[in-house]
Amino acid sequence: MRVSAEVRGLIKEPYLQVHKENALGMLLRPGSMEFGPRRSALTRTTFNAGEMGLCTPHAEQWIGSADMEHLIVIISDGALAAACDGAGGSVELHPQWKMTDARLSSLLAAVNSERVAGFPSGRLFLDSVEQALAAALINGYAVRHRPVRTYRGGLSPVRLRKVKEFVHAKMEDELSLGELAQSVGLSTAHFAEMFRKSMGETPHQFVLRVRIERAKEMLRSAESRVLDVAIACGFKTQQHFARVFRQLCGATPTEYRGEFPRHVLPRSSEINFHEHNQQV
């Protein structure tokens, strides 16, 4: 999934725009744009903040002057195919030049917040949102109705253990939804749904929780700087680490560490030194 923001304003001449990918746009503030099927048939349409448009491959329209700022999210063919999970064939969506959809707008709002913050949550967050967007688009906007496959039950204990081991082993790395799914031999859509049924949370939420639990251990038992703890637990920045830590723990990492002033374990070299003195 590719994410960008675009501001459109006055132009000298209308132009024909031919889309090559499935793109979902959402207005970030109220605005308007001239567009239509022909150069001589442009109509100015007004949009409220949060209203959207869905552009699909080969769809075309003439574009004139505008006054708008919008978020643009490109949904990959792979995500759409994974949401169908074995239905076969390509997915064709019906273009929508102006639309409202509460589920889609809430997902795009989350993406925009992530963009504004500098994408601190990483690839797994965006992968998860893209998969949710793909499922919603297929269920609501496919040319031929292609229901997203649902699955009963969750992951087996063996698969669940493999996922947990994979996450712990790759704690410092940039994890993706595809890598987690591949670790247990499932498609991304299949894995995401079954994981949530097993754990009661999304893969991204689980990874954050595991990282924070590791961070708490490090903050209780080591003298590492908060920045070093953040990096060791897979966070891109200390600021993002502190924000997630506060959300899950109700305190900043520094405040949490301050609750254990007498529980900081000595380093191994210090233990050896004290043992040597006792023997002497």
Side-chain angles (χ1 to χ4, degrees):
M1 180 171 72
R2 301 199 310 276
V3 181
S4 62
E6 180 182 71
V7 177
R8 293 192 177 190
L10 296 175
I11 61 172
K12 292 183 178 180
E13 296 288 340
Y15 61 93
L16 180 65
Q17 185 174 55
V18 180
H19 299 278
K20 298 180 180 180
E21 300 171 290
N22 289 294
L24 188 61
M26 182 180 75
L27 273 288
L28 299 178
R29 58 175 174 81
S32 64
M33 182 173 69
E34 294 178 330
F35 63 87
R38 297 182 303 278
R39 183 190 181 98
S40 59
L42 298 182
T43 302
R44 179 167 290 276
T45 301
T46 59
F47 297 88
N48 295 319
E51 286 192 298
M52 295 168 290
L54 173 62
C55 302
T56 60
H58 311 302
E60 59 181 48
Q61 59 183 341
W62 282 88
I63 304 295
S65 293
D67 175 18
M68 59 188 294
E69 179 182 1
H70 60 161
L71 178 77
I72 303 173
V73 172
I74 305 298
I75 310 299
S76 69
D77 292 337
L80 292 169
C84 293
D85 200 24
S90 61
V91 178
E92 184 180 359
L93 302 177
H94 186 71
Q96 304 282 329
W97 305 125
K98 183 177 180 179
M99 57 189 279
T100 56
D101 186 304
R103 175 165 172 74
L104 290 176
S105 62
S106 64
L107 289 169
L108 290 186
V111 171
N112 190 53
S113 295
E114 179 74 1
R115 177 190 67 84
V116 172
F119 300 102
S121 300
R123 183 177 172 184
L124 180 58
F125 173 79
L126 292 178
D127 285 351
S128 300
V129 174
E130 182 180 34
Q131 205 57 64
L133 286 169
L137 288 171
I138 289 171
N139 275 334
Y141 303 95
V143 173
R144 294 181 298 278
H145 183 60
R146 302 180 63 152
V148 177
R149 183 177 297 179
T150 56
Y151 302 89
R152 297 178 181 177
L155 296 173
S156 67
V158 172
R159 277 179 161 159
L160 200 55
R161 186 182 70 251
K162 286 184 177 180
V163 174
K164 292 179 178 179
E165 290 174 349
F166 182 82
V167 171
H168 280 278
K170 300 287 186 178
M171 183 76 67
E172 299 180 24
D173 298 341
E174 176 79 26
L175 294 171
S176 71
L177 188 61
E179 289 173 336
L180 294 178
Q182 288 174 9
S183 71
V184 290
L186 297 174
S187 71
T188 53
H190 190 173
F191 168 76
E193 183 174 350
M194 294 184 72
F195 184 92
R196 185 160 191 163
K197 287 183 177 180
S198 294
M199 299 295 294
E201 59 188 347
T202 67
H204 176 250
Q205 290 169 333
F206 170 75
V207 170
L208 280 184
R209 184 166 58 80
V210 169
R211 285 174 167 164
I212 291 300
E213 288 303 315
R214 171 77 65 84
K216 288 165 68 175
E217 292 177 5
M218 294 181 68
L219 291 170
R220 289 196 302 265
S221 63
E223 293 288 356
S224 301
R225 296 180 304 164
V226 173
L227 176 59
D228 295 332
V229 174
I231 294 173
C233 295
F235 291 92
K236 291 184 176 181
T237 67
Q238 183 174 333
Q239 292 75 17
H240 182 229
F241 169 55
R243 183 167 64 253
V244 174
F245 195 97
R246 178 184 283 277
Q247 289 173 349
L248 297 183
C249 303
T252 66
T254 301
E255 291 169 345
Y256 179 82
R257 167 174 275 172
E259 297 177 3
F260 302 92
R262 300 179 183 178
H263 291 74
V264 177
L265 299 180
R267 298 175 181 175
S268 58
S269 59
E270 294 174 348
I271 295 175
N272 294 334
F273 175 77
H274 289 304
E275 289 178 349
H276 174 73
N277 283 346
Q278 290 175 358
Q279 293 173 359
V280 173

